[in-house]
Amino acid sequence: MLLAWIAMLVTTVVNPSAVDDNAVPTTAVVVAVYALKFGWRRLTARLGANRCYLCTDGVAVSNRFGRVRDSVAWSEVTGVQQTVIVGHVVAGHRIEIFRSSSAAPLWFVAPGAKSALVQALLQEGRRSGALQ
């Protein structure tokens, strides 16, 4: 959306008659979308949503509304799989925590190429004896 908006503004500067007064409403829509996105991120961060909580007994992951989506006790953990995602714009870690029961693995994404959350998770797992 941002690229289309920039292309429209460039077209307006190069040939003003090519865009019939669409720059102002389109700019307002782009600004509103990005303001809502930024505001939602700030609100969810303040409310503690989309978080991973490391405890001495296990791990809990919340959803975008701050409620616990899934949790696992360290005594149930059989392994951890870590996938690193690195791109030109975004980097992150996808963590899957496998359980001894038949339940699906707990997973979450930790943003950043060198995430402190991943290091803390692995240290806490080793300290509790669930990981080697």
Side-chain angles (χ1 to χ4, degrees):
M1 178 168 30
L2 188 60
L3 292 176
W5 176 69
I6 291 171
M8 188 194 64
L9 288 181
V10 168
T11 305
T12 303
V13 170
V14 172
N15 186 5
S17 63
V19 180
D20 300 326
D21 296 329
N22 288 333
V24 172
T26 306
T27 301
V29 168
V30 169
V31 168
V33 166
Y34 279 96
L36 286 171
K37 183 179 176 183
F38 179 74
W40 180 253
R41 284 184 178 174
R42 300 249 326 160
L43 179 66
T44 56
R46 184 171 296 238
L47 296 176
N50 284 332
R51 301 277 177 142
C52 176
Y53 297 99
L54 294 176
C55 305
T56 56
D57 296 336
V59 180
V61 178
S62 66
N63 62 11
R64 67 178 51 128
F65 298 109
R67 296 193 175 134
V68 174
R69 179 186 63 155
D70 200 359
S71 64
V72 63
W74 286 119
S75 60
E76 297 178 10
V77 173
T78 59
V80 173
Q81 181 180 0
Q82 174 185 356
T83 306
V84 180
I85 305 156
V86 179
H88 292 290
V89 180
V90 178
H93 297 264
R94 184 176 195 276
I95 307 293
E96 287 184 75
I97 301 175
F98 298 100
R99 313 168 200 223
S100 58
S101 63
S102 62
L106 172 111
W107 67 273
F108 61 92
V109 176
K114 294 182 179 178
S115 177
L117 175 63
V118 174
Q119 297 300 327
L121 175 95
L122 295 175
Q123 286 177 354
E124 186 64 30
R126 288 185 193 108
R127 190 192 67 71
S128 67
L131 304 176
Q132 297 178 18

